[in-house]
Structure formats: C-alpha cells, structure tokens
Amino acid sequence: MALFNYRNVGARGTGMTEARTLYDKIWDAHVVEQRDDGTALIYIDRHLVHEVTSPQAFEGLRLAGRPVRRPELTLAVPDHNVPTTARVDADGKRIPIADPESAQQLAALERNAPEFGIRYIDATAPEQGIVHVVGPEQGFTLPGLTLVCGDSHTAAHGALGALAFGIGTSEVEHVLATQTLLLKKSKSMEVRVEGDLGFGVSAKDVILAIIGRIGTAGGTGHVIEYRGTTFDAMSVEGRLTVSNMSIEAGARAGVFAPDEATFAYIKGRPMAPQGADWDKAVAYWKTLRTDDGARFDRTVHLDATQIAPNVTWGTSPEDVVPITGSVPDPDSFEDASKRAAARTALDYMGLSSGQRMQDVGVQHIFIGSCTNSRIEDLRAAAAILRGRHIAGGIKQALVVPGSGLVKRQAEAEGLDRIFVEAGFEWREPGCSACLGMNPDKVPAGESCASTSNRNFMGRQGPGARTHLVSPAMAAAAAVTGRLTDVRELATRD
Amino acid sequence: MEPVTQIDGRAYPFGVKNVDTDMIIAAEWLKTISRVGLGKGAFAALRADPANVFDDPAYAGSPILIAGDNFGCGSSREHAAWALADMGVKAVIAPSFSDIFSGNAFKNGILTVVLPQEQVYRLMEVARTDTIHIDLAEQMVTTPFQDRMPFDIDPFRKQCLMGGLDEVGLTMARGEAISGYEMRRMQAEPWLVPVAA
Ligand code: SF4
C-alpha cells in the first residue's frame, strides 16, 4: 500500500501560466512528485560534501548496503578541519595533521569518496578550498540548479541563480542514496536595494545592513530574492558575499536572477557546460527571472546610498551599527528578551553602551571564510594595506584565501607580498578561524575584526570576541589596532 | 530500521526542562565519524553529579526517557539523537520538544511522545519503581496502575516507525519516478552532469 498519493509533474514546471518568481520557477522544475500532504520530492542537481557532516551519512549507506545514486553529481572537499599551515614538506610529502580527531575526519572523507565513486579534491590539491568557494569557482554551481551541502552557508551558491541550502546529516544520506529530498515549499521574500553604494561601502556592508534591518529571524521560513539596481551593478563575487549570509537573516536560501555578469563569471570554468551545451544553457538561464506581476509574500526595501561601512557590536549578526555609530544602550530595545540579550552580549564583548565603535580596540584580524575570501576581497584588503603596517597592538593578523586557486591568483598579482610586508600571515585555504575547528582560534577575552559571518559567543574560540566587518574594514582595523572607518584610509580614484 | 510497535520497560525519571543539544551531547563530539558510540558522551556534564539518574543501576539500559519541557532545543546537531539511540533509548516522553530534535529523533527511529505536564509528573513517579508501556498502534502510554494516557502523532511518522521504514528506503521505493524525471531533465538540460575534470 502506498503511504501517499503521488502526482507526477514534468520537468520544467507544472504548466501553470500565472506570473512566477525565480524561486517558483526553480522549484517547479525540480518537483519529481507532489504529495498530497503538501510536501514534494525535489530533485537535487548538485551536492557538495565536506568532512564534518558526511561521515555518518556514508556509514549509514554502508550499513544498509546502499550505493550512491548519481556519484557524478556530488563533489567532496575537506575544509573545516584542515590546518592553514603548510600541508606538504620540502620533499612534497604530506605533513600529518596534529589533531587526531581532525585527522580522522579527513581520513574518513578520503576513504569514503573513492569507495562511493565520488570526485574528491584532496587537501593538498591546488583546487582545494572552502566548499562554497570551490563550487562556483569550478563551474560546479550553475544557474537554475538545486544545490545542497551539509552546511548552512550553502545559501552562498544562490548568487549564481541556483536554489542552494544547507541540510542535516540524515538528508546528506538521503541525497546520496536518492538524489532527492522531501521538502515543503518556503514562502518568498523580496529584498530590494536601489542606488549606488558609497565610497568604501561593499557587499558585506549591504548584507549586514539587511540583517540589521530585518533581524536574524527576519527571513525565517522564506527564500529571499535579492533585486534592485544595487545588485545589478554588483559583481558575482559580491553577490556571493550577500547570499552567503542569507542564513544569518534567517532564510535558508537567497537567490539572484542570473544575468550577463553571471554568464561571464561561469564561462570557461572547468565543470561548466561547453560548446553547444553552453549556448543551450544560457538560453535557458535567461528565462530564470521573476515574471512581472509575480507576488512575494514579503518585501523589504533599502536605499543603498544610506548604507555606511558596518560593524557588529554584539554576539548576533543583527547587532549591526555603522562604523560612525556607538554601542547601543540595551534599554533602548523594545523587546524584553532583546534587552536581556544585549546586556549579556555587552558583558561578553567587554563593551559599554555609548562607547564609540571607532574606539573599540582589536588584537586579531581574520580575513577569510566563505563570506569574504575570494580574489576581490583580497584585493580590497590589500588596497588598504599597501605601504602600511599592522599596529603594534595586533597579536595576529591572518589572511586565509578561500581556495588554492584564489591563493595562486593573489600571488600572481603580488597581493601576498603586500599582506606579508604589512605584517599579515599568508596561509593555506580552509575555514580556519571562522569557526576554530582547526588550530586557528582567537583567545578568550580578545577581540577580532573578522570578515566571517558569525559573531556568536565562542565561535572563533572559547571566549573570543568577534566584530564582523568587510575585508577593507578588517584591513583598516589592522592598520590602526581599533575598529576604523575605512573611508579615512582609502584613497578615491 | 527496527519496526517500533511496543516499547516496554523502565524509564529514566529525568524531567529536566530546556535540555539543549549541548547538554545531550557536547560540541567536542562533532568531530566523531560514527553515529554509534555517542552514548558514552551523552549528558556528560550532568553525569558529573554522582546522584544522576543515568548512572543509577536501577535504570541502566532503560528504553524510555522522561524529560521536561522543550527537550532538545539549541543546535540542529543530529548527534543528540544518535547519542540517545546509542544509549538504547527508543522513546522520549516530555511536555514539549524542539521541532528539529523531534525530526532528528524520528529519522533515527526514536519515538517522541508529547503529554501534558501533570501526566509527565505522574510517569516520573511511576518510573522510580515500575515499568512503563507505550503502544504506538493504540497511541497510548500505560502503567501497571491503570494509568492510560493517549497521545497524538503525525500519521506519516507513525507509519514509518511501525513499518521500520526509513525515509531513504521510502524514497528509494520511488526509484522509477526519479529515473523518469532524470531522463526528461537530461534530455532538456544535458549540462546537468558536470563536465569531467
Ligand atoms: S568558512 Fe565558516 S561559514 Fe563558511 S563553511 Fe567554513 S566554517 Fe562554515
């Protein structure tokens, strides 16, 4: 007896003619079967796997004697645990990972990928990097596809017009075995930003402004579509920074309609379509836009000209103020639980209300993570650091490129020398101090200007104090030893 | 998965409110590569207290855990469900659960039973001396003292648990529909298979 009645739905949608959003279009094209309880079996086109959330999924398959349904649609790369110090010695031999548990997670992925026929990028390969940097960079991420990974920042891939979201380990196993997920459709939310960004203001400041406005629960239950002239003018790398932090805005996914910039970004990447397939793909991708008259469940508007370089003061990504602002008074919040949270946050961060953000000292700088570790991010930071040096009070300043390819590109441009001459450490790619699973951590009670995405208590190490900023702002803080308005250091050209 | 129809035995009279996933299994266990063996790390902080219920021989190996309000809140880590399963827990009874924990528990063959607070108190009392019985088909918790406590459960979850069906197995049974879909998509969008590196 079948548990549910199913209705088959053809690829490319249900034949409905009403105006649809981009999210509707991608969703409709991926419904394998609609169930009458409101859930749908959704086909998953791309699956990224890293070492932390996959071992138990592979173990589950092994115990049940199940193969991977479409191994060619999954790509595995280690990133969370890998040390960012040298991985091979002078003779080209691999240096073992000191932490036995990190080493064990890596070894498990290295064993599982070939056993199940999955393409694996080794920790020592030039293409290795953070999964969310590697996917777009390799042309694995494409417009109109569904893409998942056992990691909440999978939302990043939405920048290219893919419906991308994070999943749990049981779902990782489900995707490996069936190439599908059982899902309920989310609501839709339009985040529209119009106007030109001011001097010194970056994509990171835009997404921090959005989260500051709608809060970390603002997008809960929704898929965001980012629209408006600000995003039209934004580079694909900037869009990746924005969609990456959709999860901090409460949304599981955030999408951008693919445009000429997207196509130019993808063309020629190793796993991207080629020749006649390319032309056919582009023709299809051009249809992936929200129809005129399509309805969103919620809409939020921001004026880009009002956005300043932003910083966070607390322990939630919604605790955002412009760098010209001050630490807020916890009593100024309407909500009682927010007042309590703000008091706890100020205590944890060692700040007092009314303190100017520009007077907050930092001892650590972290330029990296899947939010801000691509070549444009490194260029923006290097532009501030050229000919300057980190302040005396800075104990450690790290640059961790998002991938080996970003690292080599930066080296070809001479950016590594600018960082090193400024007093930064130039590291190997990985997640690093974004979450401190590897040895890169911020010590308790010390403050870090970080280009990552989460300022939770203990995120960068037990007791660590995180201020989220853009790469240029992190560089500016490095130079002065305190949170600094990058507009005072940058030169207009 | 093993079909779940009747769960019968002693129960840990735990009852603590707002137990988060960190208390069930600490973050250090996120580095494990297995879903078995986590029972050793379960409730580690609470077990520092020598009088804790989990190390009381009277309850060793109990298949039922009686918990307080909002059990399993906090992070989405599935490790919490794996830790309980590894302890031999087959059902958790509480006044309420976090949604994500409930989903994770169900995916790992653990039944979560929601009962009103007074009934949970009553079960805590019984659990100290006697066994508790859960009948999933009847949706009823009973005790040797004529207590009868009906509970609700999502019909899909009930069928999966009773049939020992896991979601992966259920979806695999839809293999033909998935193949049909794949063929249509591949024809329309040949770039669906990434170019081999
Ligand atoms: S860089 Fe940070 S946010 Fe991104 S995948 Fe790694 S740990 Fe997660």
Side-chain angles (χ1 to χ4, degrees), chain A residues 36-363:
Chain A
D36 50 12
D37 67 346
T39 59
L41 195 62
I42 292 293
Y43 196 77
I44 300 301
D45 301 319
R46 294 284 188 273
H47 184 199
L48 286 161
V49 159
H50 63 80
E51 78 278 19
V52 180
T53 50
S54 67
Q56 288 87 354
F58 286 115
E59 188 190 53
L61 293 181
R62 210 178 279 121
L63 289 174
R66 289 169 175 157
V68 172
R69 182 182 175 90
R70 298 294 303 265
E72 69 277 23
L73 302 184
T74 294
L75 177 65
V77 54
D79 56 6
H80 282 62
N81 282 282
V82 291
T84 55
T85 46
R87 293 180 194 152
V88 289
D89 63 18
D91 304 327
K93 278 222 306 280
R94 269 169 75 148
I95 301 172
I97 296 176
D99 179 83
E101 287 182 309
S102 292
Q104 173 183 266
Q105 280 199 331
L106 248 76
L109 185 58
E110 202 173 314
R111 200 171 55 239
N112 286 328
E115 181 182 331
F116 288 94
I118 289 166
R119 199 182 300 180
Y120 174 67
I121 299 179
D122 186 79
T124 58
E127 299 84 9
Q128 183 270 342
I130 306 168
V131 278
H132 310 312
V133 175
V134 170
E137 187 174 77
Q138 291 297 319
F140 186 74
T141 309
L142 298 175
L145 301 186
T146 48
L147 183 151
V148 296
C149 174
D151 187 286
S152 58
H153 289 96
T154 308
H157 305 260
L160 275 72
L163 178 60
F165 49 89
I167 56 176
T169 299
S170 278
E171 291 172 307
V172 171
E173 184 176 339
H174 196 277
V175 172
L176 288 169
T178 71
Q179 208 58 44
T180 63
L181 283 173
L182 206 49
L183 298 170
K184 264 206 173 77
K185 198 173 171 191
S186 305
K187 291 188 192 143
S188 60
M189 176 169 179
E190 175 188 46
V191 172
R192 183 175 277 281
V193 186
E194 304 277 1
D196 293 336
L197 290 177
F199 172 70
V201 181
S202 72
K204 180 65 162 287
D205 301 303
V206 175
I207 186 64
L208 285 174
I210 293 167
I211 297 164
R213 163 77 78 84
I214 69 173
T216 50
T220 303
H222 291 75
V223 166
I224 293 175
E225 182 177 340
Y226 297 99
R227 312 175 79 197
T229 54
T230 312
F231 297 125
D232 294 342
M234 193 177 271
S235 70
V236 171
E237 298 207 344
R239 296 175 193 175
L240 281 159
T241 299
V242 171
S243 52
N244 177 276
M245 289 186 73
S246 301
I247 187 77
E248 276 69 42
R252 231 173 140 189
V255 290
F256 286 79
D259 60 7
E260 290 303 328
T262 319
F263 310 147
Y265 175 92
I266 296 168
K267 195 168 174 94
R269 301 216 172 243
M271 298 186 196
Q274 297 163 359
D277 279 356
W278 171 259
D279 297 333
K280 208 171 161 186
V282 171
Y284 171 52
W285 295 342
K286 286 182 173 167
T287 68
L288 297 172
R289 315 194 65 81
T290 291
D291 297 328
D292 291 340
R295 215 184 52 81
F296 289 91
D297 295 299
R298 196 179 160 199
T299 291
V300 174
H301 286 243
L302 267 79
D303 176 354
T305 63
Q306 299 301 309
I307 299 175
N310 282 317
V311 291
T312 59
W313 52 268
T315 52
S316 163
E318 71 185 24
D319 297 340
V320 175
V321 282
I323 181 64
T324 48
S326 316
V327 179
D329 179 354
D331 288 332
S332 66
F333 295 102
E334 268 172 42
D335 181 65
S337 64
K338 181 72 201 175
R339 284 199 292 274
R343 266 183 224 110
T344 312
L346 290 193
D347 192 41
Y348 179 86
M349 296 296 290
L351 300 174
S352 40
S353 68
Q355 193 175 349
R356 284 175 5 121
M357 291 314 296
Q358 297 185 66
D359 294 337
V360 175
V362 293
Q363 299 79 44

Side-chain angles (χ1 to χ4, degrees), chain A residues 413-471:
Chain A
E413 296 178 17
L415 305 183
D416 58 322
R417 287 196 306 280
I418 297 175
F419 283 115
V420 171
E421 280 163 17
F424 272 78
E425 296 174 39
W426 181 246
R427 295 293 189 91
E428 297 295 321
C431 294
S432 180
C434 175
L435 88 167
M437 256 185 125
N438 79 350
D440 306 340
K441 292 182 183 59
V442 175
E446 298 189 5
S447 299
C448 180
S450 177
T451 66
S452 57
N453 44 47
R454 283 184 173 158
N455 52 351
F456 299 162
M457 290 184 190
R459 170 78 176 185
Q460 295 194 287
R465 297 166 171 173
T466 303
H467 296 279
L468 301 178
V469 289
S470 74

